Amino acid sequence: MVWKELLSTTTFCVHHSRTSCLIRISSHALSKTSWHRFYCSQLLDQIKKTSAENQSLLSNLEIMGVDIKMARKRQPGILKKMITHEESLRKFLQSKGASKETIASIISRYPRAITRTYEHLLEKWDIWQTILKTDLQVLKIVERSPESFFRSGDIDNLEENITFLSSLGLTPKDLSQLLAKAPRTFSNRAELNKQMVDFLQDLCISLGGESPQEFVKQVIIKNIFILIRSTKRLKANIEFLQSTLKLEDKEFLFWIQGNGVDVLDLCNTYIKRNHKSAQKKLLSLGCSEVEIRRFISSYPSILYLSTKNFIDKIDFLTEIGIAKDQILENPRVLEVSIDTLKIRTKDLSEIDYDYQSFGIGILVLSQTRYRDKLEKLCNSR
């Protein structure tokens, strides 16, 4: 009986062991099969994606030196088109002085360029050239920002924008600056530009201004990126800045046209964060709320500085003995990089320069003027 029980138990264990082994093998096989199916699925998707692309087009672009991976990442749908104009684009840009490398770079970064016909390119180029005068100037912008030239195919919209902006009193020189630095202004729908101008004119009137068109002109000339921002962003910034700086309407209007114009189009979250960190740091140094408001209104560029950048510079300057009043009176010291500040203050410490007696203006001089000033100080010792 004992032997029978032992034999039965042994048989069960062997059977159980085999079953476990079989389960493990099946599990491993299943896992391997699942992974294999996933891999094959991914591979098939990739093959399907690339097979849907125009193979003749890909071949042409490769010959031209275009970065296919970049083009596929930027605008994948373009590579599937059956009718494109890459060859006429190449000939057109070459006729304007573009190198093979430049053309390849333009298409790699903005593949939609190959959808524009030769006639369209010629017509648009001629319009841009009425503002920028030379092929070289136009080509520089197209190379730097291909989207601005190739994004919109609406020639009528471009001409409407030029006519509208000219009607604001902007000169050909002003328009060339806009086209060179903020070319998207001209590919915007004309209606968007008109909405921003209307917003600025209404703002001027609400603050007691008497010449809304001149106000708009000055704002655009001083901040050429203003027209490519949203009125929503501008409105949020203006409301925040006016409530924070506590300026009277006429003062605020004057401020917007002057010191404050550059910060109007910054991201609203960025402005608020930088203002909060600057305010907190200056309060910790013993500055009053009035001093802080005066400091920011006289030097709004402080709102460009990241929290870390601002704090690092303030900490460094105060640690070497520069008083907070000196920083408030000469805020341009915060424009100097921290590395330059360290080098210059080290130079000045070697000749026992007294910031309290001679001020901190030396820290913000150009490199040439700084070296001349330092040399004079060394010779006068």
Side-chain angles (χ1 to χ4, degrees):
M1 185 69 179
V2 174
W3 283 104
K4 283 183 179 180
E5 289 178 0
L6 182 60
L7 182 61
S8 176
T9 303
T10 305
T11 302
F12 171 78
C13 289
V14 170
H15 175 73
H16 180 69
S17 174
R18 286 175 180 172
T19 303
S20 294
C21 182
L22 183 60
I23 290 171
R24 285 198 300 273
I25 292 170
S26 298
S27 176
H28 175 70
L30 182 61
S31 174
K32 187 174 181 180
T33 302
S34 298
W35 176 85
H36 185 260
R37 284 176 181 169
F38 173 76
Y39 175 76
C40 286
S41 175
Q42 294 290 96
L43 190 59
L44 286 171
D45 286 345
Q46 184 63 29
I47 291 171
K48 191 182 294 183
K49 185 187 293 183
T50 54
S51 64
E53 294 173 346
N54 183 339
Q55 298 303 310
S56 176
L57 170 62
L58 292 179
S59 177
N60 288 344
L61 295 180
E62 285 177 349
I63 291 171
M64 292 171 69
V66 172
D67 185 333
I68 301 297
K69 286 184 178 179
M70 182 186 293
R72 186 178 288 130
K73 185 177 180 182
R74 296 290 176 91
Q75 293 168 342
I78 299 298
L79 301 181
K80 298 176 184 178
K81 288 187 174 293
M82 292 297 108
I83 300 176
T84 52
H85 308 282
E86 64 277 5
E87 185 59 26
S88 61
L89 173 65
R90 180 186 67 77
K91 288 179 179 178
F92 178 81
L93 290 176
Q94 276 187 337
S95 72
K96 301 301 181 182
S99 66
K100 179 183 177 182
E101 292 73 22
T102 295
I103 297 168
S105 174
I106 287 171
I107 299 174
S108 300
R109 289 178 290 131
Y110 200 74
R112 191 180 295 174
I114 65 175
T115 65
R116 304 304 179 198
T117 65
Y118 191 94
E119 292 73 20
H120 170 83
L121 295 173
L122 186 59
E123 188 176 1
K124 195 165 190 178
W125 193 280
D126 286 345
I127 294 172
W128 273 39
Q129 202 175 42
T130 61
I131 299 173
L132 294 173
K133 304 307 178 189
T134 68
D135 285 339
L136 181 60
Q137 286 180 298
V138 177
L139 184 60
K140 281 182 179 178
I141 298 174
V142 174
E143 182 178 1
R144 189 179 74 243
S145 176
E147 179 186 1
S148 64
F149 187 81
F150 297 106
R151 184 177 66 159
S152 174
D154 192 340
I155 296 294
D156 291 339
N157 183 71
L158 172 61
E159 292 180 323
E160 187 179 351
N161 271 323
I162 293 173
T163 301
F164 173 65
L165 294 171
S166 298
S167 74
L168 298 175
L170 296 174
T171 65
K173 182 179 179 181
D174 298 328
L175 293 178
S176 68
Q177 285 294 307
L178 277 172
L179 196 51
K181 297 182 180 178
R184 216 177 82 202
T185 302
F186 295 86
S187 57
N188 272 350
R189 285 188 300 108
E191 186 56 37
L192 285 177
N193 288 334
K194 290 175 182 177
Q195 285 175 13
M196 178 59 79
V197 168
D198 287 344
F199 172 80
L200 291 171
Q201 288 180 336
D202 290 344
L203 173 66
C204 176
I205 294 169
S206 71
L207 294 173
E210 298 175 356
S211 182
Q213 182 158 323
E214 182 61 25
F215 170 76
V216 171
K217 177 184 172 183
Q218 291 304 316
V219 169
I220 294 174
I221 290 173
K222 293 177 181 178
N223 186 339
I224 58 176
F225 302 103
I226 205 84
L227 290 171
I228 60 176
R229 309 305 184 203
S230 69
T231 53
K232 182 180 178 181
R233 174 187 287 195
L234 217 63
K235 185 174 185 293
N237 285 344
I238 286 167
E239 288 175 351
F240 171 73
L241 291 166
Q242 190 171 19
S243 64
T244 300
L245 300 177
K246 301 187 185 305
L247 296 172
E248 296 295 327
D249 285 355
K250 282 289 182 70
E251 287 182 300
F252 190 60
L253 181 66
F254 182 76
W255 183 80
I256 289 174
Q257 288 178 270
N259 290 339
V261 70
D262 286 336
V263 300
L264 289 183
D265 64 324
L266 289 178
C267 172
N268 186 251
T269 304
Y270 187 77
I271 283 183
K272 288 181 175 179
R273 183 177 65 242
N274 291 353
H275 175 270
K276 185 177 180 180
S277 62
Q279 183 183 47
K280 184 178 178 181
K281 186 62 182 177
L282 292 171
L283 284 171
S284 72
L285 295 177
C287 296
S288 67
E289 292 282 2
V290 173
E291 285 178 315
I292 294 171
R293 287 199 297 270
R294 191 182 300 125
F295 177 61
I296 294 175
S297 63
S298 66
Y299 182 67
S301 295
I302 190 178
L303 298 174
Y304 275 102
L305 298 177
S306 68
T307 298
K308 184 179 186 308
N309 196 359
F310 177 76
I311 291 175
D312 285 350
K313 288 179 181 179
I314 292 288
D315 284 344
F316 176 76
L317 292 169
T318 53
E319 281 170 9
I320 62 171
I322 293 176
K324 56 100 174 173
D325 290 339
Q326 291 180 292
I327 299 173
L328 295 180
E329 290 168 9
N330 199 338
R332 285 189 56 226
V333 71
L334 298 175
E335 294 177 6
V336 184
S337 72
I338 192 75
D339 290 336
T340 300
L341 286 174
K342 287 179 178 178
I343 292 169
R344 292 188 175 184
T345 53
K346 183 176 182 297
D347 291 338
L348 295 170
S349 69
E350 292 176 357
I351 59 172
D352 298 322
Y353 186 86
D354 186 351
Y355 298 106
Q356 300 304 316
S357 301
F358 303 111
I360 64 173
I362 190 172
L363 297 176
V364 302
L365 295 177
S366 67
Q367 185 62 17
T368 302
R369 292 183 63 196
Y370 167 72
R371 299 312 309 179
D372 291 342
K373 181 72 173 177
L374 185 63
E375 186 177 351
K376 289 179 181 177
L377 289 170
C378 290
N379 292 335
S380 65
R381 291 184 67 191

